[in-house]
Amino acid sequence: MVRRAIGTRRRCQLNAPPVSDVTAALAERVRHAHVTGTALRITGAGHWLDAGRPCRADASLPLAEHTGIVEYEPGDLTMTVRAGTPLDALRAVARGEGQWLPLDPFGHLGGTIGATIATASSGPLSAAFGTPRDHVLGCEFITGTGNVVRAGGRVVKNVAGFDLVRLVTGAWGTLGVLTEVSIRLRALPEIDRTLALETTAGEARRWLRASAYTPLAAEMISARLATDMGIGSRDTLLLRLGGNRALVHAAAESASALAGSRDVDTTVWDTLRTREPADAAVVRLSTSSSQVAALWDRVASIVERAGGHAHATLQRGIVRCMLPVQSDDAEEHARLRGIVGALLTLGSSVVERLPSSLWAKMVPPAASDALSIGVRRAFDPGHVLNPGILGELA
Amino acid sequence: MPTDVAQHAAPDLASRLAALVGERRVLARPSELRSYESDGLPGYHARPALAVFPGTRDETIAVVRLLAELDAPFVARGAGTGLSGGALAEGSVLLGLHRLTRILSIDADDARAVVEPGVVNATLSRAAAAFGLHYAPDPSSQTACTIGGNVAENAGGPHCLKYGVTLNHVLAITVLLPSGEVVTLGSADGERDGYDLLGAFIGSEGCFGVALDVTVRLARAPQAVRTLLADFSSVNSAAHAVSSIIASGIIPAAMEMMDGPTIQAVEASIYAAGYPVDAAAILLIELDGAAAGIDDDAARVDAFCRDAGARGVRIAAAPAERARLWQGRKKAFGAMGRIAPNLVVQDAVVPRTKLPAILAEIQRIAELHRVLVCNVFHAGDGNLHPNIGYDATSADETERVHRAMAAIMQACIDAGGTITGEHGIGLDKLPYMDALFTPATLGAMCALREVFDPGRRSNPGKVVPVHSCREWFAAPSARAGGAS
Ligand SMILES: Cc1cc2nc3c(=O)[nH]c(=O)nc-3n(C[C@H](O)[C@H](O)[C@H](O)COP(=O)(O)OP(=O)(O)OC[C@H]3O[C@@H](n4cnc5c(N)ncnc54)[C@H](O)[C@@H]3O)c2cc1C
């Protein structure tokens, strides 16, 4: 027998906050969809609905109206928001307190926090701050059977129970509809300075590896994209340095050894985020950081020759390629298929966007291993949440 | 639920296990099993049916496959330093992994390593030091605890304030599922699409299977380090200093608080670190990173402490002094253990702005129940360790400790916090799960566990109260999906 020494015999009061009316109403819709077998397309602000595989859906489940800050205690550097809250709105509120959510996914600045977490989207700042899994402290979500689950919490450290938060982060809505999230914020750096350096990926990576400084972001920009953004005409490293004055000054000095460096306005990061044409095919290739320069050299030339752009988050080993889609005809699709096919052989890949006809032909389903199938079955047994988006029923 | 091995295949099982790992590596006699009856959690004793200690990955796989075939429950065990009773294995087969101690590779260029689960946390950092690297998560038990146990508990440590916990440092794990199947979760070479099953596995407390090897990220040694010791005449002013430092945007590598009783225990022990014995609280604050600007940050931290009422702040002048200051902190539990026969090391988290209020509340609870609480904790994260020394042979005192702990847990929940920040639920915290999570949330946890371990044979009875699972699987919606 286990002799219980420490622990309580009293059952404590249940004091989880009550589920909001909006969440309850959404849960009712999902429960109904489960019972009737109605496939639901979960939508946020709708800026990125063409990302991911084509979804088979009978109805949409909009979250965009479900906005607002539930709780913000600046001293805790944590915030709880409804899932439909746009990132730019959140940014404005946090900035008022000298804080930010250092998460800068590509695309419209008004994308919702819910979609960002559901798709695990991140941008250049992930080099220093990580991806959504590193920012989310807790969330409320509705399973495919209409159960409301409140996972994690609002504190920065928490190992109570199995980690449902990581499970739904990046699940593209297929395990649950995110209705509310708690995130950790950071204080804005005293100095936030960006340099543009004309250099190669190999040089940049060597500098990063040897440097005593940890930049907020270090993004390689292909020549054509650099020209487009007005920051240069060759492959360019955008280096974002943060910290106190002495630190940033020393880091900038050190980086200037790379190539003639130029200060650029920090708005360049928003320019980069919103640069891609709405209809571009987007593929992310990745490898270990020691191999990223070699990957870049191969990829950037293929992409630029095809009329596209590339940029790379060097420390994370990720090269993101954007290929314009000129028309929706068979010939253009065949051209794209050739280029994307060549890219996919070069590293690990995550495809963000493709013309719908190409998905099934080119990209194997995600989450097709036995454990993933089991998880999906456990959380959305009727396949009513964004069915097809992971390739499972497409 | 599978039945106890004891009432099941036991006699035959021992010899079949011995055939896989060798006679000497299977323990079955009560006298031999005594040291495996408990872990770091005091007061609990649970006798495993058997203990088996495979020496290689292949032996481990063979053992788990045999247990699967026999439907026998098992509990993985690393170093047994866990503080929530996670490695207790009553009636189960205890699967000891401490012989799997190979560091399979260290890749300096990509700053990562692949290790077997029995590798001790500090051993990995020592091996990586040759490359100017270290493994950042540094639980105070790092000289004993294993990477497998760290992964299972999602362990933290003082330096996790800046560098993140185990979750943020693991790239991939090869997992031996309870069925005996081997799968890889996560990816060391680039991103993959799909569910974050790696994230789900980390912190699953041995309930999702056995980590066979772990690929971790290594951190570079910082160019410069400054370690400050701030001395306060009240716990409240130390807590306020923590808040202002966090709010300023400076992220110390570590920010630890120790209160008066803890300081006195440390100073009276062989780990005496030169802490001011008359202080009501001290903060041990470490800054690290590039040399440029670090002294400016140190000066600001110094000012924040003094503004909050610090009587003095000093910076460790040399590495030896720094090491001594840290030794006192890391051995604080050991030092407290010397002043009372039993020590319960608690773990909870509150929002950082609630630190002054919760520390006052803990003091009030301690007085009410006439127990002595020693606080030593990760203040920068709001991760409390209110510890109580007591004598377990006194029923009255044990009862008062019980009540005080329950009240402290409830106070942390009421403050918007949680019941564990790094030690896990195990057995010890099961009674509080209902207070923290809704039935649907606990049910979802059970459903997730069921995917990894449909027979619930891997560390049975831990983390989620059994009644929650029963309720979830009895619900019509779950049944409709056949969520098993
Ligand atoms: C003095 C002291 C100080 C401590 N300080 C800290 C601290 O600062 N931070 C912190 O986070 N913790 C701390 N701890 C708690 C403990 O050391 C950690 O939880 C540690 O991660 C446990 O490792 P272990 O090898 O001892 O695991 P064990 O105690 O052997 O096992 C813990 C759990 O992990 C499971 N497990 C073990 N190996 C595996 C594997 N390979 N695969 C799957 N599951 C496995 C077990 O089943 C069990 O559920 C401290 C403990 C002590 C005694």
Side-chain angles (χ1 to χ4, degrees):
Chain A
M1 258 305 280
V2 172
R3 182 154 57 83
R4 171 171 296 153
I6 299 305
T8 180
R9 293 158 213 148
R10 267 196 306 153
R11 215 154 133 172
C12 305
Q13 278 297 301
L14 180 74
N15 65 348
V19 167
S20 76
D21 292 348
V22 185
T23 299
L26 287 166
E28 194 43 49
R29 277 205 62 193
V30 177
R31 199 171 303 125
H32 185 256
H34 171 69
V35 173
T36 55
T38 309
L40 297 175
R41 177 67 168 119
I42 308 161
T43 64
H47 299 302
W48 212 45
L49 282 178
D50 54 350
R53 295 168 184 76
C55 251
R56 170 184 64 76
D58 307 314
S60 94
L61 187 70
L63 270 293
E65 302 291 300
H66 193 36
T67 63
I69 291 168
V70 179
E71 187 181 271
Y72 178 25
E73 176 56 71
D76 290 332
L77 288 111
T78 60
M79 187 190 264
T80 298
V81 290
R82 299 199 182 91
T85 310
L87 289 177
D88 51 3
L90 197 158
R91 170 153 91 172
V93 174
R95 183 167 288 168
E97 300 291 341
Q99 299 181 357
W100 62 333
L101 170 65
L103 192 59
D104 53 350
F106 301 105
H108 198 287
L109 303 179
T112 66
I113 182 76
T116 304
I117 289 163
T119 59
S121 298
S122 63
L125 288 168
S126 62
F129 297 99
T131 63
R133 85 203 279 268
D134 304 306
H135 297 276
V136 189
L137 306 171
C139 60
E140 179 190 78
F141 63 91
I142 303 166
T143 68
T145 53
N147 281 310
V148 179
V149 172
R150 297 180 70 96
R154 295 181 181 185
V155 284
V156 298
K157 221 167 152 193
N158 192 351
V159 297
F162 301 132
D163 197 342
L164 301 169
V165 178
R166 254 38 66 181
L167 189 71
V168 294
T169 300
W172 287 76
T174 62
L175 303 178
V177 182
L178 285 169
T179 47
E180 198 177 289
V181 296
S182 295
I183 45 181
R184 94 189 275 167
L185 304 176
R186 314 273 169 164
L188 282 165
E190 185 185 325
I191 307 286
D192 182 355
R193 180 174 169 193
T194 300
L195 303 177
L197 306 129
E198 276 188 11
T199 185
T200 63
E203 284 293 321
R205 204 252 158 193
R206 266 190 294 283
W207 180 80
L208 287 167
R209 188 171 162 342
S211 170
Y213 307 99
T214 314
L216 303 180
E219 195 81 4
M220 223 31 227
I221 309 289
S222 71
R224 187 200 304 270
L225 181 54
T227 312
D228 231 53
M229 292 169 61
I231 53 168
S233 55
R234 282 192 273 164
D235 279 8
T236 299
L237 173 69
L238 274 182
L239 195 62
R240 187 169 188 172
L241 304 169
N244 68 30
R245 198 165 293 279
L247 175 68
V248 171
H249 179 77
E253 282 287 292
S254 156
S256 63
L258 274 176
S261 74
R262 239 165 14 87
D263 268 272
V264 290
D265 198 277
T266 30
T267 52
V268 73
W269 296 102
D270 282 351
T271 310
L272 174 64
R273 283 173 71 185
T274 52
R275 200 66 221 154
E276 73 199 54
D279 53 357
V282 181
V283 178
R284 239 161 44 220
L285 299 169
S286 53
T287 182
S288 59
S289 69
S290 63
Q291 303 303 313
V292 69
L295 180 65
W296 170 265
D297 289 342
R298 278 194 277 169
V299 168
S301 62
I302 298 178
V303 172
E304 293 237 320
R305 246 184 290 122
H309 297 152
H311 55 93
T313 309
L314 295 174
Q315 290 111 311
R316 297 189 58 224
I318 298 176
V319 181
R320 190 161 173 274
C321 316
M322 296 173 270
L323 299 154
V325 183
Q326 262 112 32
S327 62
D328 205 22
D329 57 39
E331 201 179 323
E332 174 65 358
H333 286 186
R335 182 187 76 96
L336 261 184
R337 194 172 173 181
I339 301 161
V340 173
L343 291 174
L344 293 182
T345 61
L346 298 177
S348 273
S349 62
V350 174
V351 178
E352 291 182 16
R353 204 155 58 189
L354 269 188
S356 53
S357 69
L358 294 184
W359 272 102
K361 293 186 190 122
M362 306 203 65
V363 192
S368 57
D369 58 291
L371 286 176
S372 298
I373 291 170
V375 169
R376 178 68 180 273
R377 194 184 301 135
F379 285 80
D380 178 24
H383 273 227
V384 295
L385 303 177
N386 285 351
I389 205 156
L390 296 174
E392 71 286 10
L393 290 177
Chain B
M1 279 278 289
T3 47
D4 274 10
V5 178
Q7 309 146 11
H8 198 52
D12 181 33
L13 182 58
S15 56
R16 289 180 72 181
L17 287 170
L20 297 175
V21 302
E23 207 74 53
R24 283 175 45 234
R25 305 300 182 183
V26 180
L27 306 181
R29 277 195 293 276
S31 58
E32 298 172 326
L33 289 167
R34 191 146 306 135
S35 39
Y36 300 99
E37 282 177 5
S38 55
D39 64 359
L41 176 68
Y44 283 73
H45 293 278
R47 179 169 304 158
L50 285 172
V52 54
F53 302 94
T56 64
R57 171 197 178 97
D58 287 347
E59 283 182 9
T60 312
I61 295 171
V63 165
V64 168
R65 290 193 176 154
L66 176 63
L67 298 175
E69 191 187 306
L70 301 176
D71 198 25
F74 66 91
V75 179
R77 181 181 173 107
T81 67
L83 292 169
S84 53
L88 296 178
E90 189 181 20
S92 295
V93 174
L94 183 142
L95 177 62
L97 298 163
H98 68 256
R99 297 178 61 216
L100 303 181
T101 54
R102 284 189 306 155
I103 294 175
L104 301 172
S105 65
I106 292 182
D107 175 350
D109 199 9
D110 279 318
R112 62 194 186 193
V114 185
V115 301
E116 289 189 334
V119 170
V120 168
N121 176 302
T123 307
L124 172 58
S125 279
R126 223 175 302 119
F131 306 95
L133 300 166
H134 66 282
Y135 179 61
D138 60 338
S140 300
S141 52
Q142 71 192 122
T143 52
C145 66
T146 67
I147 298 293
N150 291 172
V151 164
E153 300 291 2
N154 191 11
H159 289 79
C160 293
L161 174 60
K162 177 172 177 181
Y163 292 99
V165 294
T166 304
L167 174 82
N168 309 108
H169 295 269
V170 174
L171 298 168
I173 304 179
T174 305
V175 173
L176 175 58
L177 294 173
S179 64
E181 194 191 333
V182 176
V183 296
T184 303
L185 306 181
S187 156
D189 294 295
E191 306 174 285
R192 299 270 193 286
D193 238 346
Y195 301 143
D196 186 1
L197 298 178
L198 174 70
F201 185 86
I202 295 169
S204 61
E205 302 194 26
C207 295
F208 289 6
V210 179
L212 276 184
D213 64 55
V214 185
T215 307
V216 299
R217 206 194 297 281
L218 298 172
R220 256 184 301 166
Q223 190 181 44
V225 182
R226 298 287 181 274
T227 306
L228 291 80
L229 181 74
D231 162 356
F232 295 86
S233 52
S234 89
V235 168
N236 193 39
S237 41
H240 281 291
V242 171
S243 300
S244 23
I245 294 166
I246 292 292
S248 76
I250 295 173
I251 303 177
M255 181 150 53
E256 302 283 306
M257 195 191 296
M258 280 178 258
D259 69 2
T262 308
I263 296 166
Q264 285 147 25
V266 170
E267 289 305 311
S269 77
I270 52 165
Y271 310 116
Y275 301 151
V277 283
D278 60 340
I282 55 170
L283 288 177
L284 188 58
I285 305 168
E286 189 151 284
L287 301 167
D288 74 4
I294 196 168
D295 290 320
D296 298 351
D297 279 354
R300 286 181 69 201
V301 166
D302 183 311
F304 283 126
C305 289
R306 290 181 198 274
D307 288 351
R311 300 190 300 185
V313 181
R314 77 169 209 256
I315 296 196
E321 188 184 357
R322 177 179 167 238
R324 185 158 172 250
L325 289 176
W326 272 112
Q327 157 114 328
R329 162 61 187 92
K330 295 220 167 176
K331 300 293 184 191
F333 297 147
M336 285 175 212
R338 263 154 248 248
I339 56 178
N342 301 85
L343 178 74
V344 47
V345 177
Q346 262 300 358
D347 175 37
V349 188
V350 294
R352 292 173 277 200
T353 49
K354 299 280 170 40
L355 276 177
I358 198 76
L359 290 169
E361 177 63 10
I362 289 173
Q363 189 48 39
R364 197 192 61 78
I365 292 169
E367 283 163 16
L368 182 69
H369 297 284
R370 291 177 288 121
V371 294
L372 178 66
V373 175
C374 307
N375 288 289
V376 44
F377 65 101
H378 314 305
D381 290 316
N383 187 175
L384 303 162
H385 292 318
N387 309 311
I388 305 184
Y390 69 109
D391 179 358
T393 59
S394 156
D396 168 63
E397 192 178 4
T398 305
E399 181 59 26
R400 284 185 282 115
V401 173
H402 270 298
R403 288 176 191 278
M405 281 305 170
I408 290 171
M409 286 297 112
Q410 187 63 50
C412 291
I413 296 174
D414 291 342
T418 189
I419 56 179
T420 170
E422 53 182 24
H423 295 168
I425 299 297
L427 276 180
D428 186 44
K429 296 281 172 76
L430 272 177
Y432 308 104
M433 288 295 273
D434 288 309
L436 193 61
F437 295 113
T438 62
T441 306
L442 292 171
M445 290 180 191
C446 296
L448 175 60
R449 191 239 168 96
E450 201 82 0
V451 173
F452 282 86
D453 180 21
R456 279 180 252 165
R457 287 187 304 107
S458 188
N459 215 354
K462 309 279 172 68
V463 185
V464 182
V466 174
H467 66 85
S468 311
C469 301
R470 245 186 264 122
E471 286 157 23
W472 172 270
F473 288 107
S477 57
R479 235 188 289 129
S484 52

